[in-house]
Structures are given as C-alpha cells and as structure tokens.
C-alpha cells in the first residue's frame, strides 16, 4: 500500500482533526481484527508472539491488543522480550563480522529461558518474569515478577526476535503477529517521496531524542547496523506470522516533521546522505501540530505524551 502525498497535504490543510481521527480509527480496526483472531486461537496456545523491526510500534500495538482483549473478557498480559536479554559478557557475547558485540543477534537473548517460560505458561505454571537493567547491561537477579495464566488468559511477548525460528520452532502453536511500517508516500506520478524505512528511522530519531537525549547523528550512525540485523534476523522470519499488518499512519510524517527537521538541519550537509534525502522529502510534506494526536495514538510512542505506561 502507498499513501498519496497530495491527499495527505490536502487533508491536513482542510480538516486535520478529522483526518487524524480517521487514520487512528482505521488503525484501531486493525487492532480489533487482530485481537479477534488471537481470541479465536486461544484454545491452541496461551502465547502470542509479536515481532517487527525497530521503530514499528510493537509496544503500543501490543498494549492496544491487550486492551481490546481485556475489554472482551480475555485477560491478557504484555511482556517485553527485552527483559530476557542476557547480561553482557564479552567472552560469550555473539560477534559481528567486524568483531564487535552483535547486539542485534537473537543470541543476546536467553532463548532457553524464554522457551521454558512459554511452556510453563501454557501448562498453567508460575514463571518469574525477569527485568533487564539497560544502564548496567545486566539482568537483575532480584527484580522479577510472578506470572501465572488462568485457563482463559493470554500473554503477549513482544520483541524484534519473537518470530525467529529459534523461538517459533519450539512454539508452533503460539499465535504469531508481525507488524512493520510498510507504506511509502508517493507523488501523483507514483514516484516515492518518502520510503517506509525512512519513517522507522525518523520514529527512532525522535524517540531517541525524547527519551534518551540522543541527537540525530547518534541514531543515524546506528541505523546501518540495525538494518543489517533486520535483514539477517528479523525479515527472513516474517512469513512465520499468522497475521501481518502495516503500522504506518498517513498523518504521522506531518506530526514528526516539526520534531525531526530541526534535528536533521543541525547535521552537516553532505555528511549523511539519508538525512539530506529526508530533508528534501519533508520540504514537500505539510506539518501538523501534535495537539491533534490523541493520547493513545500509536504516534505517541515516539513523540511522548502517551496514556500507556511503557
């Protein structure tokens, strides 16, 4: 699917509130459809595996699905697979071709513990969900919380490697969901104005700045390695999914523009080709004030102000 630049700009100029509400409602319908499929599948397994590349909106999507399931009487719990990262040990950590620690590898996760926990939850046993301390790059030995699923309860495990064969191979009955921002923005001739991969990069730049205090250069420098990891460890396994859907919203580039353009303009011209290309594309996109964005919109995962507790 592709979004029309002309239609986006015209909608923002004419009635931005209605346009945003329409886009959010369409995304909510995708959430409700996914939740129904998951609910229908729950006799097969209590586990939902939700995957997608970085910047896909996995966390908010998981919470939205949980909300719909809870409201329909199916109590659901969302667990971040990031908490199953292994404490970083330079002697045993996976390495990339350059010899550095490959933080994009699924083998940074405690795969054995994950698979053991999936099996225990399906049997109705109690697990102790770990907590990873990113600042110290260690998994806490004490900061855990117990989880036991009732007969009609579900657990969503969300993470970039959720559909990798090392996980799905031992959990064939789990419901598997893949999300990604998959739509380009095109002009009237069908030419691509803004690539879908750029949208995820912009989401990350804005989120990293908002929540980590990082500048655009920091995120852009990491991006090639992130993309390498996606091509090796994430994209090849999307066909494992029971359901795939697009997490992009037609209005969000307009909302992200006031956040990201000043950061991109601070970079030296000619140093990062992708930054220069995105700036030229943003010149053609109408801006939209964030006040139009609802507190539970997917976009709030990246710009802040969400009602969801991440």
């Amino acid at each position: 699917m592709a979004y029309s630049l002309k239609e986006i700009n015209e909608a923002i100029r004419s009635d931005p509130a209605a346009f945003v509400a329409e886009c959010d409602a369409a995304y909510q319908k995708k959430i409700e459809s996914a939740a129904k499929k998951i609910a229908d599948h729950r006799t097969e397994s209590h586990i939902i595996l939700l995957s997608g590349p970085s910047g896909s909106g996995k966390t908010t999507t998981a919470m939205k699905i949980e909300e719909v399931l809870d409201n329909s009487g199916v109590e659901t719990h969302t667990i971040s697979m990031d908490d199953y990262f292994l404490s970083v040990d330079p002697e045993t950590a996976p390495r990339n071709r350059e010899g550095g620690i490959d933080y994009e590898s699924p083998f940074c996760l405690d795969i054995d513990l994950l698979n053991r926990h999936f099996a225990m939850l399906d049997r109705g046993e109690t697990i102790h969900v770990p907590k990873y301390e990113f600042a110290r790059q260690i998994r806490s030995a004490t900061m855990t919380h117990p989880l036991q699923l009732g007969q009609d309860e579900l657990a969503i495990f969300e993470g970039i490697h959720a559909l990798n064969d090392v996980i799905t191979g031992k959990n064939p009955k789990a419901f598997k969901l893949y999300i990604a921002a998959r739509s380009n923005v095109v002009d009237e001739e069908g030419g691509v104005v803004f690539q879908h991969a750029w949208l995820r990069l912009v989401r990350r730049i804005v989120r990293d700045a908002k929540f980590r205090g990082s500048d655009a250069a920091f995120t852009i420098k990491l991006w090639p390695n992130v993309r390498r990891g996606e091509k090796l460890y994430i994209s090849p396994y999307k066909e494992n999914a029971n359901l795939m859907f697009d997490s992009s919203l037609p209005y969000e580039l307009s909302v992200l523009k006031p956040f990201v353009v000043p950061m991109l303009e601070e970079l030296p011209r000619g140093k990062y080709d992708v930054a220069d290309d995105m700036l030229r594309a943003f010149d053609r996109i109408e801006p939209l004030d964030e006040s139009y964005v609802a507190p539970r919109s997917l976009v709030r995962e990246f710009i802040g102000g969400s009602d969801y507790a991440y």
Side-chain angles (χ1 to χ4, degrees), residues 30 55 128 132 149 182 186 190 211 241 247 261 275:
K30 293 182 184 179
H128 291 271
Y132 192 81
L149 300 180
R182 307 178 70 182
V186 299
F211 299 107
S247 69
V261 165

Side-chain angles (χ1 to χ4, degrees), residues 290-306:
E290 70 163 302
S291 61
Y292 289 102
V293 182
R296 296 203 164 198
S297 169
L298 175 75
V299 182
R300 288 289 176 191
E301 180 173 333
F302 307 100
I303 67 174
S306 175

Side-chain angles (χ1 to χ4, degrees), residues 206-277:
V206 173
R207 183 174 61 190
D208 287 352
K210 187 79 175 181
F211 299 107
R212 299 180 183 176
S214 304
D215 60 13
F218 173 83
T219 305
I220 289 172
K221 287 175 185 176
L222 291 177
W223 190 241
N225 195 49
V226 170
R227 292 285 285 158
R228 179 195 64 83
E230 291 170 5
K231 292 173 183 177
L232 284 174
Y233 306 126
I234 303 171
S235 296
Y237 303 101
K238 64 186 178 184
E239 300 303 328
N240 287 335
N242 299 97
L243 177 65
M244 291 190 281
F245 68 81
D246 189 346
S247 69
S248 62
L249 294 167
Y251 71 82
E252 71 175 296
L253 283 172
S254 297
V255 174
L256 291 166
K257 178 177 179 176
F259 290 92
V260 76
V261 165
M263 290 190 282
L264 296 176
E265 289 178 336
E266 290 178 357
L267 301 173
R269 290 297 175 97
K271 186 169 184 179
Y272 304 105
D273 290 343
V274 68
D276 296 340
D277 291 341

Side-chain angles (χ1 to χ4, degrees), residues 64 163 183:
K64 283 181 170 293
L163 300 189
S183 293

Side-chain angles (χ1 to χ4, degrees), residues 74-140:
V74 181
E75 187 172 351
T76 305
H77 311 265
T78 298
I79 299 102
S80 171
M81 286 173 56
D82 287 355
D83 283 322
Y84 285 81
F85 274 119
L86 294 161
S87 298
V88 176
D89 182 347
E91 292 187 6
T92 59
R95 298 279 172 171
N96 57 32
R97 289 175 296 181
E98 291 74 33
I101 295 177
D102 187 358
Y103 291 103
E104 305 300 322
S105 169
F107 296 103
C108 287
L109 291 169
D110 193 337
I111 294 168
D112 290 340
L113 180 61
L114 269 167
N115 283 319
R116 188 160 65 250
H117 278 186
F118 295 151
M120 291 172 68
L121 288 172
D122 264 337
R123 293 195 298 264
E125 299 173 10
T126 300
I127 68 168
H128 291 271
V129 180
K131 179 68 176 176
Y132 192 81
E133 298 180 58
F134 283 92
R136 300 168 60 198
Q137 292 191 314
I138 63 170
R139 197 168 70 205
S140 172

